[in-house]
Amino acid sequence: MTLKGISFGVGIPFECRDLPGAGATLNVGFDRTYRMTGRWALGFYLTGGGGFWGEYKKFSDDDHLHVAFRLAAGIMMQIGDLSGKPYLVGIAPCTGFGFYDMDLVLPVELRFGRYLTNRWYLMGELTYHVSLANETACIEPAIRIGYNFGRKVKRP
């Protein structure tokens, strides 16, 4: 299969430096690859989403819930038999931006997954948000499920 799909994800961001806390995010993305050989496809992905997180210990009664937001783009690869169920690998090295704890961050993402059926695929994602103000240290594991609208690749 060449990948032309939509994926949805749920993440749990953990802030561990400035204001320790945790929360939840929802993400939606577009994944696309183009066949290079019979066992490898290369493309891109776009993802965006948002949510909230709260502090473990309230710093202030007025302001203890925070908004999380992120947009990112990355490189997506399919590795293995493209006519079967190939593995999926994605990476976004600071190609995007986000806001956590009112701090501008650059996401470093790593995705890994595999097709469950001919159309459905599942990916795990780990994102570290690099703080531009050197205040926030946020790690966000997530799980994504996607549906491929692409066409089936014929065996060479």
Side-chain angles (χ1 to χ4, degrees):
M1 287 280 202
T2 58
L3 179 60
K4 185 178 3 175
I6 294 177
S7 62
F8 299 93
V10 176
I12 303 172
F14 294 98
E15 162 69 47
C16 48
R17 185 184 297 159
D18 187 30
L19 298 171
T25 61
L26 296 175
N27 302 290
V28 64
F30 176 72
D31 308 318
R32 181 71 168 119
T33 63
Y34 301 92
R35 180 180 163 182
M36 298 295 158
T37 68
R39 301 189 54 80
W40 187 59
L42 180 65
F44 66 93
Y45 69 86
L46 303 169
T47 188
F52 70 94
W53 65 271
E55 301 165 17
Y56 292 137
K57 294 181 181 179
K58 290 183 184 180
F59 181 73
S60 166
D61 287 335
D62 297 329
D63 188 22
H64 63 278
L65 289 176
H66 305 276
V67 174
F69 171 76
R70 163 173 68 110
L71 286 174
I75 298 168
M76 178 66 76
M77 294 176 278
Q78 287 182 268
I79 302 168
D81 184 11
L82 297 183
S83 61
K85 296 178 185 173
Y87 292 96
L88 300 165
V89 177
I91 186 167
C94 296
T95 50
F97 68 94
F99 293 101
Y100 282 84
D101 183 23
M102 296 304 292
D103 190 11
L104 183 63
V105 295
L106 301 177
V108 177
E109 293 181 357
L110 178 62
R111 291 183 177 189
F112 44 89
R114 185 145 194 212
Y115 278 86
L116 300 173
T117 67
N118 284 336
R119 296 286 180 185
W120 291 96
Y121 55 95
L122 184 68
M123 290 186 289
E125 177 179 288
L126 184 61
T127 306
Y128 176 72
H129 301 280
V130 178
S131 171
L132 295 179
N134 203 21
E135 290 180 0
T136 304
C138 185
I139 298 171
E140 182 179 353
I143 189 158
R144 302 182 74 86
I145 189 156
Y147 185 80
N148 184 6
F149 296 99
R151 64 180 189 277
K152 185 120 176 141
V153 172
K154 296 179 183 174
R155 291 192 183 265

